[in-house]
Amino acid sequence: MLIRLLQSTYYWMFPTIFWLALTLVSLIWNLSVIDNSVEKIAFERGQIMYEMVRLTKINPVLMANDPTLFKKQNVKDIQYRAVSSKPMNPENISDTWESQALSQFQQGTEFKFEPFLNQEPAYFRYIGPVYMQEQCLKCHGYEGKRVGDVRGGISVKVLAEPIIAAQDEAKQIMTLLHFIGFLMISVTSNFLMSQLRKHWLKLKLTQQNLKDKEQFLSDVTNSMSEGFVVLDNNGVVKYTNPESARLIGWTENDMLGKQFSQIVYAEKKPDKDKTVETTVMDTLKDGVIRADNDDLFCHKAGHEIDIVFSVSPMLQNENDKQVVLTFSDISERKRADRERIDLERQLNQTHKMEAVGQLAGGIAHEINTPIQYIGDNLKFIQESQQDMQSLLQQYAELSSKAKQQPELQDELEKIDKTIEEIDLEYLTEETTNAIDQSISGASQVARIVLAMKEFAHPGGKDMALADLNRIVSNAVAVCKNEWKYVADTKLELSDNLPDVRCLAGEVSQVVLNIIVNAAHAIEAAKREEKGTITITSALKDEQVEIRVSDTGTGIPEEAQEYVFNPFFTTKDVGRGTGQGLAIAQDIIVGKHQGELLFETEQGVGTTFIIRLPVTREEA
């Protein structure tokens, strides 16, 4: 009520009206009291005069000493006289009103009082009884009355005008006093109310300013992109903003009043020295700001998040120290850093492989000429050996005929001895085998060198027609060192495969990557016998389809949906970056509008399917 009054512009009216109403009530009550006292005063005056006269009437000594006093009938606007229904003095005979009163006295009435305000002048009449006493019998015994009988009465007439005039004056004084009192109290009340309102408005303004500042600070902390927590000297959460609750999965109400370390570490104890808990305690001790610290928090859902945090002391007394803790989730940043490092490593590896490819291409080019020389010379040796074998055959026939000539026996024995010593049959057979193997090896080296040259060729930026069978054969030859110890490779390539317009270098990279993955999968299976990598090519529905099947471990069901995600890998650390299949999908699907699929059965193996359109729609 008081607050509403102070809020009003017309606050001054309430005390004014209140004191006016109170003054009027008091004035009316006092005036009514004064009005009522007129009759009371008249009664008291009549009663007093009655008692005085009565006492004198029953005191003969007093009457004898001053008889004139009792002959005087007026005293200050009061008229009195002794009356009787049978007086000795005719002047004392009672009138009708007095006779009625005397009759009532005989019946036990003590007095009679009645106003006559309608008369002119107005007056009050009072009459009381006079009883017969022992000393009265000497003079009034003739009346035949006994002691205790009503002898008569004393009638008093009190004029009303002097009393009313006095009361009117009292009313005026009372009215004036009330008016003065009203003015003084109203002015004082309004002054006090104005002061109270002034202080209340100032207090309200201060409260509003505090509320605005509190709201401003609350808006600031609620708008922060960082977690903001206030901790007391025991590490208990006293305040938290919505972002801090969101970052670690708690609600604000759940965090308040709990140990912050219990919230962010749960049951897991940190395994390093510099943690949020130790940093907060250090700052509470020395009041030093500690910024850019990192830690590992446990989200309410159970997973861990990387955070960076700062701790600052609040300005308070020694007995109530508090600190402000701000923290941010840097899990994405750390993941991005790891991805960046992996990308840099992949890029470095790519650059290295590019350099190696260029070097391999150069080396292949340099090796190609001497390999051709070796191959040509081996073919020449093979032909020469065949000729020499023919010659030796003719010598054998000649030796058989010469044995019939006795003079040639010694020479023939020497020749036979030499043939036996050198084991000509074995030498002929093994020389032939050695020459054949050398020619085969030189041809294989030549094929590998040619595959290396083609694979290492950077290719153009524009698509061109390419033989996918040749791309597959080259990829198998290039990565032979990856599979030859763990698997046998079977090529089932279609003879009627059309050339496909593509980026041959990038498609070669995809095929090579899938073959290497197949070899790694077979190696991971750790079977006693070698596995098998089967590569087929076929034309299906205007698409060239290449299938690379392995007898490896297969892809786990929980990992199948992430196979083509960047940086996802099931290989051991150091065996892969998780980029190969992601890049392969981008090359086949993104650049060639083809398909890259897989079929897998855990424990049996996996088949990757590459489909490239024969007629490609230009993007």
Side-chain angles (χ1 to χ4, degrees), residues 380-437:
F380 171 75
I381 292 172
Q382 185 183 40
E383 292 173 356
S384 299
Q385 193 266 348
Q386 290 173 352
D387 291 340
M388 292 179 69
Q389 190 67 30
S390 176
L391 178 61
L392 288 173
Q393 185 64 33
Q394 292 177 4
Y395 274 120
E397 292 176 358
L398 179 61
S399 175
S400 176
K401 292 178 179 180
K403 287 181 178 180
Q404 299 175 3
Q405 303 296 326
E407 65 274 14
L408 297 176
Q409 294 301 312
D410 292 338
E411 296 298 327
L412 289 174
E413 288 179 0
K414 290 180 181 180
I415 292 173
D416 290 338
K417 185 178 181 180
T418 302
I419 291 174
E420 184 178 357
E421 286 178 354
I422 65 174
D423 196 356
L424 181 60
E425 184 180 358
Y426 171 78
L427 187 62
T428 301
E429 183 181 355
E430 290 302 319
T431 301
T432 301
N433 291 336
I435 291 172
D436 291 341
Q437 290 174 358

Side-chain angles (χ1 to χ4, degrees), residues 481-526:
N481 194 60
E482 291 286 341
W483 55 260
K484 68 179 181 179
Y485 300 109
V486 297
D488 294 323
T489 301
K490 294 171 59 178
L491 296 179
E492 299 175 0
L493 307 178
S494 174
D495 294 332
N496 60 349
L497 204 66
D499 290 344
V500 175
R501 186 173 295 278
C502 64
L503 298 171
E506 296 193 13
V507 174
S508 297
Q509 181 183 353
V510 172
V511 175
L512 179 68
N513 184 271
I514 292 176
I515 295 173
V516 171
N517 283 349
H520 290 171
I522 292 173
E523 183 181 3
K526 297 180 180 180

Side-chain angles (χ1 to χ4, degrees), residues 199-215:
H199 288 294
W200 177 80
L201 290 174
K202 186 176 181 180
L203 177 62
K204 184 180 178 182
L205 180 61
T206 303
Q207 289 176 337
Q208 187 62 43
N209 290 337
L210 290 175
K211 185 177 180 181
D212 292 342
K213 290 180 179 178
E214 182 180 356
Q215 185 62 43

Side-chain angles (χ1 to χ4, degrees), residues 233 284-287 314-322:
N233 54 4
L284 285 170
K285 289 178 183 177
D286 54 28
M314 291 184 67
L315 299 177
Q316 297 183 7
N317 58 54
E318 290 294 324
N319 297 326
D320 189 20
K321 291 183 178 180
Q322 293 184 349

Side-chain angles (χ1 to χ4, degrees), residues 51-111:
E51 290 293 340
M52 290 176 61
V53 175
R54 185 181 68 82
L55 290 174
T56 57
K57 289 295 185 180
I58 62 175
N59 191 344
V61 176
L62 183 58
M63 292 178 62
N65 291 339
D66 193 3
T68 58
L69 175 64
F70 303 103
K71 292 181 179 180
K72 187 177 181 180
Q73 301 293 313
N74 297 296
V75 178
K76 292 184 180 180
D77 303 320
I78 298 176
Q79 299 176 3
Y80 61 90
R81 69 191 187 98
V83 295
S84 176
S85 57
K86 297 178 179 179
M88 294 177 58
N89 187 348
E91 294 178 0
N92 295 334
I93 192 168
S94 60
D95 58 19
T96 304
W97 182 83
E98 291 169 340
S99 297
Q100 291 176 355
L102 292 175
S103 297
Q104 293 173 359
F105 294 156
Q106 291 176 358
Q107 297 173 4
T109 301
E110 295 182 358
F111 64 87

